[in-house]
Amino acid sequence: MENAMFGLRYAKATPSTYLIQYRNGQLVREGTGLAFFYFAPSTSLVSVPLESVDVPFMFNEVSADFQEITFQGQATYRVVDPKRLTGLMNFTLGGNGAHVSEDPTRLPQRVVNAVQVQLRAVLAGQTLEQLLGASEGLVQAVREGLRGADGLPALGLELVNLSVLAVRPNPETARALEATVREQILKQADDATYRRRNAAIEQERAIKENELNTEIAVETKKRQIRDAQLEAERAALEKRQQIQQQDMAGKIDLEDRNKALTRLRAENAKTESESRAYAMAALMEVVGKIDPKVLQALNVGQADPGALIAQAFQGLAENAQRIGELNISPDLLRQLTGKE
């Protein structure tokens, strides 16, 4: 915005406008949101808008398989290096406050051209089907190319966003692709129907197999039960036969067992008599080595009075040569024997 009075003018820039003042070819000031007075005959003003700008585009390109394809989208950019941009393009303001050159209006077209150049570089070697199925990768590749050193930064610009809204082949190719896709969809539908029918058949077969397996299992169990019953009956029969054979063998061997028992008893009695005789012989051998007087002395406490009296008379008899005269009256003998 400018006001003129006696050659003096007032300039005021918005915060989104980068303003540069030159006086006699020398830089005086630069920045955003500046407001100052200047002398118009010796001053030049350069105004660069910093707002983001949306630029739509639509290209007709050819794929690697020689199919025409249309790209439609939008690029958003903004100025980040005004001095670089003003060194390449003319953004000088005239006396009426408008740009003296058409370069500011040509800047969006230059951005579109840069997008087209990067897009053609990405399209090299890709077929129509690849381009239709990889639009996101295509956008990413173009975006990286525009942000490279030889892209928008070379103009002092920054890519804010890039979007591809549509990727369309020509109508004839589109109808052919639609027919192909339609056939594929129909084929997939038929395949789904066949798979559903096959699944139903498989389920029915599985059910029948389960029924047959159940019947087989039941018959197998019944056969096992019958086999177990037959085995039990056979075992019982064998047991009865064994018992009968044992009874017959017992009857046959009863007499032999009685004879064997008698022989065993006789042998036991013989062994017992021999043991007693051996014990008696051993006892007699031991007693024979003892002095008779010792045995008599041991027997004194247990012998009855008659035996003691007989022993006393025996002693007198043995020492008769030493006795001069011995008188035993009947009364004394009766008293000694304790009998009437």
Side-chain angles (χ1 to χ4, degrees), residues 41-287:
S42 62
T43 301
S44 296
L45 296 179
V46 178
S47 176
V48 180
L50 302 180
E51 301 94 345
S52 61
V53 180
D54 296 330
V55 181
F57 60 85
M58 184 171 65
F59 307 133
N60 293 323
E61 301 292 339
V62 179
S63 62
D65 52 353
F66 307 104
Q67 297 296 322
E68 184 179 354
I69 187 169
T70 300
F71 294 92
Q72 182 179 359
Q74 178 176 285
T76 302
Y77 71 93
R78 68 186 184 91
V79 179
V80 294
D81 191 351
K83 297 189 70 175
R84 177 186 290 265
L85 180 61
T86 56
L88 299 174
M89 302 182 72
N90 187 5
F91 281 80
T92 305
L93 296 177
N96 57 358
H99 289 96
V100 298
S101 172
E102 294 182 358
D103 287 350
T105 59
R106 295 173 181 173
L107 181 59
Q109 185 59 40
R110 297 191 65 172
V111 173
V112 172
N113 294 337
V115 173
Q116 188 172 12
V117 170
Q118 296 296 329
L119 183 61
R120 287 180 178 176
V122 175
L123 291 179
Q126 294 194 16
T127 63
L128 177 62
E129 293 184 357
Q130 293 175 344
L131 294 174
L132 293 177
S135 60
E136 184 62 29
L138 176 67
V139 172
Q140 184 66 25
V142 174
R143 185 182 294 119
E144 292 177 358
L146 292 174
R147 289 174 178 173
D150 56 346
L152 296 184
L155 298 175
L157 305 178
E158 179 187 24
L159 180 67
V160 177
N161 188 25
L162 176 69
S163 59
V164 174
L165 304 179
V167 180
R168 294 191 299 269
N170 58 38
E172 292 80 5
T173 305
R175 284 192 293 271
L177 292 175
E178 289 176 359
T180 303
V181 174
R182 187 183 304 108
E183 292 298 327
Q184 292 179 353
I185 293 174
L186 293 176
K187 184 178 181 301
Q188 292 176 357
D190 294 339
D191 293 341
T193 302
Y194 296 150
R195 286 194 297 268
R196 185 169 61 253
R197 291 178 180 176
N198 290 333
I201 294 172
E202 288 294 330
Q203 290 179 356
E204 185 177 358
R205 183 180 61 81
I207 293 172
K208 290 183 178 179
E209 287 182 355
N210 291 332
E211 292 177 353
L212 292 175
N213 292 333
T214 303
E215 294 178 359
I216 292 173
V218 171
E219 292 298 329
T220 303
K221 192 66 176 178
K222 290 180 179 180
R223 186 174 63 253
Q224 292 176 354
I225 294 173
R226 289 195 299 269
D227 293 342
Q229 291 176 352
L230 293 175
E231 184 66 22
E233 292 176 358
R234 186 181 62 82
L237 180 59
E238 291 179 354
K239 187 67 175 178
R240 287 196 297 269
Q241 291 176 354
Q242 291 177 358
I243 293 173
Q244 291 176 358
Q245 293 176 358
Q246 291 176 359
D247 292 341
M248 293 177 64
K251 292 179 181 180
I252 294 173
D253 296 339
L254 181 59
E255 185 177 354
D256 294 338
R257 287 200 298 270
N258 291 332
K259 292 178 181 181
L261 181 60
T262 302
R263 287 195 300 269
L264 182 60
R265 288 177 179 176
E267 291 176 357
N268 291 338
K270 180 180 179 180
T271 303
E272 185 177 359
S273 299
E274 291 176 354
S275 298
R276 290 179 181 178
Y278 177 78
M280 184 61 69
L283 179 62
M284 293 304 295
E285 184 180 357
V286 174
V287 173

